[in-house]
Amino acid sequence: MTAIRAVNLHKRYAGTTAVADLSFAVEPGRVTGFLGPNGSGKSTTMRMILGLDRPSGGTALVDGRPYHELRHPLRKVGALLDAKAVHGGRSARNHLLAVAQSNGLPASRVNEVLETVGLREVARRRVGGFSLGMSQRLGIAAALLGDPEILIFDEPVNGLDPDGILWIRRLMRRLAAEGRTVFVSSHLMSEMAQTADHLIVIGRGRLIADTSVEEFIGRSSQGYVRVRSPRLAEVAELIRVGEPNGDHLRVTAMSTLEIGTITARAGIPLEELTFVQPSLEAAYMELTKNSLEFTS
Ligand code: ADP
């Protein structure tokens, strides 16, 4: 059974379309990255999946049902949305106990999840004094409390130090390896490339790509050759397949050797003949560059 499904999901706020006709499926046993620039509608989509925001159109299903129809929501799906949205006066342990109690979960899970996220030693400290990293860990502990099959994390690495980032990546990989569904948002391609198996990319609330990370990397790793010459117009005429791009030509259909041979035969000097391999981040920027501004 597909773990999460969005069907023609739509969300309008006054003057803004945050999510537009968005359909996708998230499968178990892998980490699915939900990638898009800031403001592209990731949080809004996640909130609609979790029943925290009402769609203006379409549906979001968890395990085949709308969230509010789940019998034991926290046993089915755990979520980290805003890590700082926790009552600051409570200790970490009391916060988790309160969540467990109000959701009919055994108190014994509290110690287990505190251990899992590495907060056992600070369990009695007030949450108000927690660093962002500790708050993220506490948020993840709360998400894990019901031992859910499905996990939803909204930008979990934001503001973390390198140790924290590594820890969260490993945790997400482990949860997926256990057969769970992990749906995690980020605005950074580099982050997703290291964590996700599958990518759902959105821009301006619309689906841009639904692809495996491998395929995305494969597609975006087609490089090009950059050619600069004081006689660039002649080079362009000779090789014919170059695209003028400011002070250089951009060539995808010929190798550096082919271009070098042709220009050498014609006696044209080159200033530069470089094979350029775009980074993943660059490929992602290219993919989303038309979706950075909003229209209503
Ligand atoms: P992301 O998570 O990708 O950064 P969001 O889902 O937070 O994007 O936001 C998508 C768009 O919806 C943005 O333009 C944002 O300003 C707008 N938006 C989000 N929440 C609200 C709200 N409660 N009221 C009005 N506009 C909102």
Side-chain angles (χ1 to χ4, degrees), residues 13-14 16-18 36-45 53 154 202 294:
Y13 292 111
T16 310
T17 298
N38 283 329
S40 58
K42 303 182 297 296
S43 301
T44 303
T45 303
D53 250 345
D154 193 9
I202 64 168
F294 282 85

Side-chain angles (χ1 to χ4, degrees), residues 2-5 24-36 42 46 49 150-156 172-173 175-177 180-186 191-202 207 209-213:
T2 294
I4 301 170
R5 187 180 288 283
F24 60 82
V26 185
E27 306 292 343
R30 64 190 192 188
V31 176
T32 299
F34 193 28
L35 186 63
K42 303 182 297 296
M46 287 180 156
I49 293 167
I150 302 170
L151 289 141
I152 296 181
F153 298 135
D154 193 9
E155 300 266 5
M172 290 193 286
R173 300 244 35 102
L175 293 166
R180 296 177 213 258
T181 304
V182 181
F183 188 44
V184 53
S185 74
S186 176
E191 181 51 38
M192 290 292 93
Q194 302 194 55
T195 318
D197 305 292
H198 195 85
L199 286 179
I200 290 164
V201 187
I202 64 168
L207 188 72
D210 184 340
T211 171
S212 72
V213 171

Side-chain angles (χ1 to χ4, degrees), residues 17-20 37 39-41 202-208 289-295:
T17 298
V19 175
S40 58
I202 64 168
R204 283 199 225 176
R206 292 179 187 278
L207 188 72
I208 294 181
K289 75 177 176 195
N290 294 322
S291 24
L292 290 171
E293 276 167 35
F294 282 85
T295 51

Side-chain angles (χ1 to χ4, degrees), residues 72 75 98-107:
H72 300 289
R75 290 180 203 259
V99 177
Q101 239 159 32
S102 55
N103 287 280
L105 302 171

Side-chain angles (χ1 to χ4, degrees), residues 80 117 135-145 153 156 167-168 171:
L80 168 75
V117 303
S135 302
Q136 300 280 71
R137 285 174 192 255
L138 181 62
I140 289 173
L144 295 174
L145 212 48
F153 298 135
W167 174 78
I168 286 194
L171 177 73

Side-chain angles (χ1 to χ4, degrees), residues 225 235-244 249-255 258-259 262:
V225 179
V235 178
E237 206 162 289
L238 265 178
I239 63 173
R240 289 209 283 272
V241 290
E243 265 178 56
L249 284 182
R250 208 179 144 120
V251 187
T252 45
M254 270 187 195
S255 68
E258 286 167 326
I259 299 165
I262 293 172

Side-chain angles (χ1 to χ4, degrees), residues 185-289:
S185 74
S186 176
H187 63 286
L188 296 172
M189 178 67 219
S190 51
E191 181 51 38
M192 290 292 93
Q194 302 194 55
T195 318
D197 305 292
H198 195 85
L199 286 179
I200 290 164
V201 187
I202 64 168
R204 283 199 225 176
R206 292 179 187 278
L207 188 72
I208 294 181
D210 184 340
T211 171
S212 72
V213 171
E214 230 171 42
E215 205 175 286
F216 186 86
I217 292 174
R219 212 189 318 151
S220 58
S221 63
Q222 293 161 359
Y224 65 92
V225 179
R226 188 166 59 212
V227 189
R228 287 197 302 136
S229 164
R231 288 157 61 184
L232 199 62
E234 287 172 66
V235 178
E237 206 162 289
L238 265 178
I239 63 173
R240 289 209 283 272
V241 290
E243 265 178 56
N245 193 349
D247 68 342
H248 65 274
L249 284 182
R250 208 179 144 120
V251 187
T252 45
M254 270 187 195
S255 68
T256 45
L257 180 62
E258 286 167 326
I259 299 165
T261 307
I262 293 172
T263 49
R265 278 204 194 117
I268 298 176
L270 296 183
E271 268 176 84
E272 182 182 353
L273 183 60
T274 321
F275 179 68
V276 181
Q277 183 90 55
S279 68
L280 268 186
E281 208 67 47
Y284 163 57
M285 297 297 273
E286 183 74 21
L287 192 67
T288 55
K289 75 177 176 195

